[in-house]
Amino acid sequence: MTEFERIVKANFGELKREEIDILRSFFYHDRMEKNDFFIQTGKYCRKLSLVKSGLLRIYRHSDGKEVTQWISSPNQFVTEISSFFFNEPSRLSIQALTDVELLTINRKNYEQLNEKLPIWKEVETQFMAKCFAILEDRVFSHLSMSTEERFDLFFHQNRELLNLVPLQYIASILGMTPETLSRIRKKRIGNS
């Protein structure tokens, strides 16, 4: 099983080999250098990408500061959903934290998937439901978990990012100050 096939099955559900081949034919290789923008606030996002290597920071300006929403890492999809799917100006900026390799599909080719892959609407619905479930989990964790519990969950799910990403970005994702993150990290990791 190829890496693309494994990722597609994990995100889109079971597809036949020929369906995966059709889907793969719509993606092209893309590269970004560190600090390049995938999309900037106010512009229109016309692509959806699978991160093959590297890290991208998804953030927004709020009250004069940058608030990091997420770090996209290898084997995750990245786009600005409102812009890509609803043709609205992007509310977010997505910027490369490292050199990045991507598999990308542009909006025009994405729209053609319905013609070439009859099962696509069903597959797309499953993908969107999975994205929504991830978002629900993040909202729930912010509303119901203590800062320590949010750190523990993030650490369990994204351990490798703690050594690759500036701590102020992780603190922002977790809804805490860098000082609080540093204190919790020292306490939790120091006790491991």
Side-chain angles (χ1 to χ4, degrees), residues 3-16 19-20 23-24 27 48-50 75-79 84-85 103 105 110 113 117 119-131 134:
E3 188 69 11
F4 184 79
E5 186 175 356
R6 186 189 65 73
I7 293 165
V8 165
K9 286 184 177 190
N11 286 280
F12 297 101
E14 287 299 317
L15 292 172
K16 296 175 186 165
E19 293 168 334
I20 291 174
L23 182 60
R24 175 64 183 89
F27 283 80
L48 172 114
S49 296
L50 170 63
N75 304 325
Q76 294 180 344
F77 284 90
V78 64
T79 193
F84 184 76
F85 289 102
L103 285 177
I105 185 170
Y110 188 88
L113 280 173
L117 201 57
I119 195 173
W120 183 247
K121 277 295 180 198
E122 180 183 322
V123 170
E124 181 184 46
T125 299
Q126 183 170 337
F127 178 63
M128 290 300 175
K130 187 170 190 156
C131 292
I134 291 168

Side-chain angles (χ1 to χ4, degrees), residues 131-148:
C131 292
F132 188 72
I134 291 168
L135 181 60
E136 276 185 331
D137 288 345
R138 289 195 62 218
V139 169
F140 182 76
S141 73
H142 277 274
L143 295 175
S144 66
M145 292 178 157
S146 68
T147 54
E148 289 86 359

Side-chain angles (χ1 to χ4, degrees), residues 148 151-152 155 162-163 167 176-192:
E148 289 86 359
F151 173 83
D152 290 344
F155 182 74
L162 287 173
N163 295 321
L167 290 182
M176 59 182 75
T177 66
E179 294 79 19
T180 299
L181 174 64
S182 184
R183 179 181 50 78
I184 293 169
R185 182 174 177 252
K186 184 177 180 182
K187 180 178 168 185
R188 292 291 205 250
I189 295 175
N191 293 336
S192 311

